[in-house]
Amino acid sequence: MSLSIEITPAGNGNQRVALAGRLDTHTYGDLDQQLAPVLGSSIQSLVLDLAGLDYISSAGVRSIFKARKALAGRGGKVVVVNPKPQIQKVFDVVKAVPLDEIFSSVEEADRYLDAMQKKVLRGDDDE
Amino acid sequence: MEANLPRAAELLAAGRLGWRRSLRTRLMFWSSLTSVVLLLGVAAVFYAALRGVLIENAKTEIHGLASQTARGLAATLESVQVSGQALAENATAVGLEPMRQRALLMTTIRSDPSIAGAMVIIEPGRLSPEDPGFDWYIRREGRDFVESSVKDLGYDYRTMPWYTRTTGVGRPWWGEPYANAATGGEYFTTFNLPLRRAGDGPEGAVIGMVSVDVPLQRLRAQLGELPDSSNLIPVLYSPAHLLVLHPDPAIAMKKDLEALVTTGGRSDLAPVADQIRRRQDFEVRHRVASGAGAGEVRYTFGGPVNATGWSFSLSVDEGVILQQLNRITLWGVLGGLLGVLLCVAAVRRYSGMIARPIEDITDTARHFADGEFDYPLAHTQREDEVGVLARAFDTARASIKRQMTEIADMGAARARLEGELNIAADIQQAMLPAGSEFDAGEAHLEFHGLLEPAKVVGGDFYNLFERDGDSLWFVIGDVSDKGVPAALFMARTMTVLEVAAQLGGSPGKALREAAKHLVEGNDTCMFATVLCGVIELRTGALALASAGHEPPVILRADGRREFVPVPTEGPLGVDVAREYPAWRGRLMPGDTLFTYTDGITEAFDRDDQPFGTDRLLATLDPALSARAQCEHMVSAVHAFTNGAPQSDDITVLAIRYRRDARGRERFTVKASLQPPLPGDAVRQLLAQVDAGLEGHGLPATLMHDVHLVVEEVACNVIDHGAEEGREPTLELVATVEGSQLSMEFRDDGRPFDPLSQPPPDLYADIADRPIGGLGVHLIRELAEEVAYARDDGLNILRIVLHIPAPELRA
């Protein structure tokens, strides 16, 4: 079992990446590699759809951190969608992603990001 | 006095007072007493004045009488003296011619009815040397006269004391009264005069004597002119102070004044005797010392009867003088008392008349007192004070009736409110879950909560709900303030928290969601401190987040107890914190998580001492079930406050984690990595572990945790080996026994204790946050036990995982 990475085309500044399988010490390199061009692009936010992810270790969490750091540098965000309970548990333990940036559906995440974007555009981001 | 009458009548009419206490009685008593005192006072003044006047008048009268009587006596005696002197002068002039001498005697007797007898004695040889002398005595006896020679009387006159005295002294004198055969038994007193030759002066030689006899009867007749009153005691004293005339026969002619004073027990007469001796007029007030009339006060007036040598006194009894006055006064006082009685009767009757309407009103008042406010009230139309009273009473009654109606309405409203409040309290209590137990395989979570509101409804709350069948969420909170507002806010907070918890995620997330909702529209600025937690049933893993709430206590099975340092943010309702960070830990079998509100720690006793955290810790007992723990704590608080009023809602919530000992066959799995390591070394290691554990029915969640632990440990070992430029050897022995899976990792890398790493800062901003250090943190969180040792050149890391019970629902 290994990691499958599905990167759908970016839209509206949001890049959606669906992960499935195991994100561990052996596979995080693949993810880093595939995300690099995405993060290097002008996207504002990364939506990680984890519906298919069965396992994540600290190595995988580090990859997500890296992505968050990269986007945080330009005010972007990494939001997580649909983590399985065991993934959520790991996230909780290490605080991989803020709780309010974990959503149960892609649409929910999109709405959240749209709202964020509007706020940024209005320039009154007070959070 | 009149103002008191209605009151007296009212009290009398009240009928519950003893007559002694009745104002009416007292009114009568005091008015009577006043009248009597007044009466007696006036009587006393009049009496004193009248007494003075009466006594003065009586004294004047008696004095007058005494003087008048004395004058009468003096007239009688002096006329006798004149007759005697005339007889004496004529007797010497007549010489020794017997017939003329006799005629002279007769004339003397006849000329003065007071004179009962007369005598002349001329000694022989006095007028001329040869004369035979002459003596003759004539005495009146009825209408006739008895006459004889003195010698024929049977004695020699020259030896008689009266003769020797008269001739010896040579002055006229009154003899003491006497009675003998010659006087016919009658008392006589005799005036004796010496005889001198005509032409001789008073110093001439005495040649004989004449005497005239006066019966005492004549003198007594003078006294007969006194008013016939036994009160008056006239006394005639002879020149020798013999009491010649006295109403008491025991005294008259028997006592002389000196004897009476010295031996007769009449010392009170001493001044009288003294004055009589001095021959002066006197007025003496004396109290009879003894004898008849002892103790009487007498006034005695008297004095000499001119120069005759006789004295007279007149006594009167003061009591007699005052007798009439006393009698009149007595009658006057009796009459006055009768008047007082009539007055009292009138007061009684009049007070009764005035009291009757008051009694009517009082009767009504008694019915009022018994609650009969519709009892008829009379006299409201009167125009006097009673009418004013009755109308005031009527007004007060109307006011009371109105107020009673209002009070009844208010009472009904209050009862309705209380009823509603009680229903609200029931609803509130029903919102709180009852004690219960959650089971997940061999893991059990006992849960019990107790809430005692300070008022009927309160602001404390707790709640819990199971989620996904493998975790238990719970909240405990305390709304600011108490009572209905707090209860309403509490209901809202509970609902919001439940919804927020259902969203999933962590307690911190739930608090943040709830905070967002509660801030909205919270114009009253109510707020609630909340502790939110979630316990993973199978593992006992515990996450807690706090919004300003008191830190909970973990009571370990072995009795250790400590407050949990949950990071905390402000209470819900005021502001929304950026994050409510979670505290993570683990409940081991037998541990109890004890949460509470400040109603426990801030329960004050009568000395205003709080229960406090030390008592809280000391009260916890690891042997108790969750329910018993709660009850024990609450009763300890009650015992501490000892009846002091409860200041705040008291809420406790205890969660006790238990796990059944499970018999699982012990078995061991070994895996190892040897250099040269393959590219997928961790995968290979995991594959060995999976192969060994497979088929033993271990739950998938455990396998996930095993993968994580093995991967993190293996990566660490490999990474550190790589730093030294060589590949390490790693051996893993996994042992399953009971409900535990213990894994022992041994590697020959350089000494390294992963547990000595500082925990990562999970809350740092992502831009500043280091990416590494998460592996060890994960291991610590997942494992029940983690221990490192360095032994025989090997790093030995021992990690124990709990094997949850099989998922029955899965």
Side-chain angles (χ1 to χ4, degrees):
Chain A
M1 195 191 276
S2 132
L3 181 70
S4 79
I5 305 167
E6 187 188 333
I7 302 180
T8 51
N12 196 21
N14 296 344
Q15 177 69 58
R16 179 169 168 251
V17 175
L19 302 179
R22 292 176 72 93
L23 178 57
D24 60 13
T25 185
H26 299 299
T27 56
Y28 77 90
D30 295 348
L31 180 62
D32 288 353
Q33 200 177 343
Q34 297 213 24
L35 279 184
V38 173
L39 296 173
S41 73
S42 61
I43 63 153
Q44 187 67 23
S45 303
L46 180 64
V47 178
L48 288 177
D49 186 349
L50 305 186
L53 192 68
D54 295 316
Y55 176 84
I56 188 167
S57 71
S58 62
V61 172
R62 280 196 293 275
S63 289
I64 294 177
F65 273 9
K66 279 181 232 164
R68 284 184 64 196
K69 279 190 177 239
L71 286 182
R74 55 174 184 264
K77 280 189 185 296
V78 174
V79 300
V80 173
V81 172
N82 256 335
K84 288 186 176 176
Q86 63 267 34
I87 308 300
Q88 174 77 56
K89 177 173 159 184
V90 173
F91 279 7
D92 282 353
V93 169
V94 299
K95 300 283 183 287
V97 182
L99 288 172
D100 56 0
E101 292 170 11
I102 300 176
F103 301 93
S104 53
S105 73
V106 177
E107 290 73 26
E108 211 178 312
D110 284 345
R111 275 202 301 278
Y112 170 75
L113 290 173
D114 285 350
M116 288 296 299
Q117 208 156 17
K118 281 174 189 160
K119 263 192 183 176
V120 171
L121 288 175
R122 280 205 311 274
D124 59 348
D125 185 0
D126 55 358
E127 286 207 289
Chain B
M1 248 186 158
E2 290 215 358
N4 285 339
L5 281 177
R7 199 172 152 225
E10 180 184 321
L11 284 178
L12 203 65
R16 288 170 186 148
L17 296 166
W19 65 271
R20 280 170 210 275
R21 301 178 64 89
S22 159
L23 274 182
R24 196 159 152 180
T25 308
R26 283 196 273 175
L27 170 69
M28 288 196 294
F29 172 74
W30 285 111
S31 63
S32 310
L33 188 67
T34 309
S35 305
V36 168
V37 166
L38 206 61
L39 177 74
L40 292 180
V42 169
V45 169
F46 271 90
Y47 181 84
L50 273 178
R51 185 179 189 275
V53 170
L54 273 179
I55 287 176
E56 211 47 52
N57 284 349
K59 278 159 73 175
T60 307
E61 187 187 351
I62 302 299
H63 189 254
L65 279 174
S67 302
Q68 188 186 338
T69 308
R71 277 196 302 277
L73 287 168
T76 301
L77 292 172
E78 280 174 352
S79 101
V80 170
Q81 286 180 188
V82 167
S83 299
Q85 277 159 7
L87 178 62
E89 282 164 16
N90 290 328
T92 52
V94 167
L96 299 176
E97 292 174 45
M99 289 318 289
R100 291 186 65 182
Q101 285 288 359
R102 180 183 165 272
L104 198 56
L105 286 174
M106 286 301 289
T107 304
T108 299
I109 293 172
R110 282 200 176 125
S111 65
D112 191 341
S114 298
I115 296 174
M119 180 176 72
V120 63
I121 296 172
I122 300 171
E123 289 183 18
R126 286 295 194 170
L127 291 176
S128 61
E130 290 89 17
D131 74 79
F134 178 78
D135 54 272
W136 198 249
Y137 173 69
I138 299 176
R139 175 166 60 91
R140 199 196 299 265
E141 191 168 284
R143 292 176 174 270
D144 299 326
F145 296 93
V146 178
E147 43 193 317
S148 67
S149 151
V150 174
K151 293 181 187 78
D152 292 343
L153 291 175
Y155 50 75
D156 180 1
Y157 62 81
R158 278 173 293 199
T159 62
M160 289 288 134
W162 43 267
Y163 184 80
T164 56
R165 175 173 172 180
T166 307
T167 55
V169 172
R171 277 202 302 275
W173 61 283
W174 282 93
E176 291 299 297
Y178 64 93
N180 54 28
T183 64
E186 201 181 343
Y187 275 106
F188 277 56
T189 184
T190 305
F191 188 58
N192 303 292
L193 300 101
L195 274 183
R196 292 186 174 84
R197 270 186 296 267
D200 286 355
E203 302 306 319
V206 177
I207 60 168
M209 67 169 282
V210 294
S211 71
V212 283
D213 297 333
V214 179
L216 279 184
Q217 192 57 44
R218 290 296 300 179
L219 296 178
R220 187 176 289 119
Q222 290 293 327
L223 304 188
E225 293 173 14
L226 289 169
D228 183 20
S229 167
S230 57
N231 306 329
L232 293 175
I233 303 174
V235 183
L236 181 65
Y237 305 89
S238 71
H241 302 161
L242 182 74
L243 279 72
V244 174
L245 294 179
H246 192 281
D248 187 354
I251 293 175
M253 289 308 299
K254 293 189 175 69
K255 308 269 187 182
D256 68 40
L257 195 49
E258 281 74 16
L260 213 52
V261 170
T262 54
T263 61
R266 292 298 303 273
S267 52
D268 55 303
L269 292 176
V272 174
D274 189 43
Q275 295 294 341
I276 285 178
R277 258 197 310 279
R278 296 167 185 229
R279 302 204 59 73
Q280 287 176 353
D281 287 334
F282 59 88
E283 172 188 333
V284 175
R285 184 175 185 272
H286 57 102
R287 184 181 294 278
V288 176
S290 68
E296 285 176 4
V297 174
R298 286 185 183 156
Y299 290 94
T300 300
F301 299 85
V305 180
N306 287 358
T308 59
W310 294 76
S311 296
F312 175 73
S313 75
L314 189 58
S315 280
V316 67
D317 179 5
E318 187 187 67
V320 175
I321 298 172
L322 298 177
Q323 201 169 34
Q324 197 170 8
L325 173 65
N326 288 346
R327 196 161 54 245
I328 290 170
T329 306
L330 180 67
W331 281 111
V333 168
L334 285 176
L337 287 176
L338 185 66
V340 167
L341 278 179
L342 288 174
C343 182
V344 167
V347 164
R348 185 183 159 81
R349 185 178 172 76
Y350 187 53
S351 66
M353 281 165 57
I354 289 183
R356 185 160 305 111
I358 299 293
E359 284 170 358
D360 292 344
I361 291 175
T362 308
D363 183 51
T364 307
R366 266 208 298 275
H367 285 86
F368 283 8
D370 293 339
E372 297 174 47
F373 285 96
D374 294 322
Y375 197 82
L377 175 65
H379 306 299
T380 50
Q381 304 304 319
R382 289 174 71 116
E383 290 183 351
D384 56 6
E385 289 87 340
V386 173
V388 173
L389 178 65
R391 283 191 292 280
F393 203 176
D394 202 24
T395 308
R397 167 169 75 165
S399 174
I400 289 172
K401 282 166 74 176
R402 192 175 61 248
Q403 288 179 23
M404 283 178 69
T405 310
E406 285 170 4
I407 288 169
D409 290 348
M410 282 160 62
R414 187 191 168 98
R416 195 168 59 245
L417 263 180
E418 279 178 359
E420 288 174 1
L421 211 53
N422 285 329
I423 294 171
D426 291 345
I427 292 173
Q428 191 174 38
Q429 283 289 341
M431 290 169 75
L432 307 173
S436 54
E437 186 165 330
F438 297 88
D439 303 308
E442 84 283 353
H444 306 285
L445 212 54
E446 280 175 25
F447 154 88
H448 197 83
L450 273 182
L451 192 157
E452 288 191 352
K455 297 183 176 175
V456 180
V457 291
D460 279 9
F461 61 89
Y462 63 88
N463 201 1
L464 79 164
F465 18 86
E466 202 179 356
R467 188 158 188 266
D468 301 335
D470 62 354
S471 59
L472 180 79
W473 284 72
F474 65 88
V475 291
I476 180 167
D478 179 2
V479 175
S480 58
D481 206 353
K482 297 183 283 286
V484 172
L488 287 172
F489 195 77
M490 163 267 187
R492 183 167 172 230
T493 307
M494 270 187 84
T495 311
V496 166
L497 277 170
E498 185 162 358
V499 171
Q502 296 298 340
L503 292 175
S506 66
K509 188 181 175 188
L511 286 183
R512 189 170 150 80
E513 282 299 314
K516 284 182 194 168
H517 282 93
L518 289 174
V519 164
E520 288 168 16
N522 184 19
D523 295 336
T524 54
C525 287
M526 300 285 288
F527 61 87
T529 67
V530 177
L531 178 76
C532 179
V534 59
I535 301 174
E536 199 170 285
L537 290 175
R538 290 171 192 285
T539 61
L542 173 65
L544 295 169
S546 169
H549 200 76
E550 274 66 28
V553 180
I554 287 185
L555 174 65
R556 299 292 180 187
D558 58 7
R560 281 178 295 128
R561 59 202 70 190
E562 60 189 4
F563 285 104
V564 181
V566 183
T568 186
E569 293 288 340
L572 305 186
V574 179
D575 213 346
V576 183
R578 174 179 286 274
E579 196 164 14
Y580 293 86
W583 177 91
R584 286 177 189 283
R586 185 181 291 274
L587 288 181
M588 300 299 288
D591 290 355
T592 299
L593 177 70
F594 185 81
T595 65
Y596 55 93
T597 59
D598 59 6
I600 293 284
T601 48
E602 290 169 19
F604 290 96
D605 67 4
R606 292 185 176 282
D607 299 327
D608 270 349
Q609 295 299 310
F611 188 70
T613 52
D614 292 344
R615 287 190 185 83
L616 169 74
L617 288 181
T619 305
L620 293 169
D621 180 353
L624 297 177
S625 68
R627 179 194 182 110
Q629 196 77 261
C630 291
E631 288 166 352
H632 181 54
M633 180 62 68
V634 171
S635 65
V637 168
H638 285 326
F640 173 76
T641 57
N642 190 24
Q646 183 179 342
S647 55
D648 202 354
D649 303 339
I650 290 177
T651 304
V652 291
L653 175 64
I655 298 170
R656 192 187 201 205
Y657 186 59
R658 288 189 292 112
R659 205 186 281 153
D660 296 337
R662 191 171 61 236
R664 183 185 283 273
E665 194 185 345
R666 179 192 159 102
F667 66 95
T668 302
V669 172
K670 291 188 179 175
S672 66
L673 286 177
Q674 305 285 343
L677 298 176
D680 57 350
V682 175
R683 284 275 170 87
Q684 287 194 14
L685 188 65
L686 283 174
Q688 293 175 47
V689 172
D690 281 348
L693 294 176
E694 215 170 33
H696 286 89
L698 294 173
T701 53
L702 175 70
M703 292 313 296
H704 184 266
D705 290 354
V706 168
H707 277 215
L708 271 174
V709 169
V710 171
E711 178 176 336
E712 300 300 345
V713 174
C715 283
N716 260 341
V717 170
I718 293 168
D719 287 350
H720 286 288
E723 286 168 20
E724 297 169 47
R726 69 178 187 88
E727 294 185 325
T729 297
L730 174 63
E731 288 181 351
L732 165 61
V733 178
T735 306
V736 172
E737 186 173 14
S739 59
Q740 284 191 328
L741 167 64
S742 64
M743 289 179 277
E744 197 169 276
F745 295 90
R746 291 167 180 262
D747 72 82
D748 59 355
R750 67 175 171 92
F752 175 70
D753 176 5
L755 304 182
S756 65
Q757 301 294 309
D761 182 359
L762 301 179
Y763 302 102
D765 190 86
I766 187 64
D768 310 324
R769 187 170 167 179
I771 286 175
L774 297 174
V776 174
H777 178 67
L778 260 176
I779 293 170
R780 281 179 183 277
E781 288 295 314
L782 297 175
E784 282 191 348
E785 272 182 63
V786 184
Y788 168 81
R790 175 78 183 175
D791 185 29
D792 197 18
L794 297 176
N795 294 310
I796 302 172
L797 188 63
R798 186 166 182 276
I799 297 169
V800 178
L801 296 180
H802 169 67
I803 305 174
E807 293 178 56
L808 300 175
R809 291 196 295 173

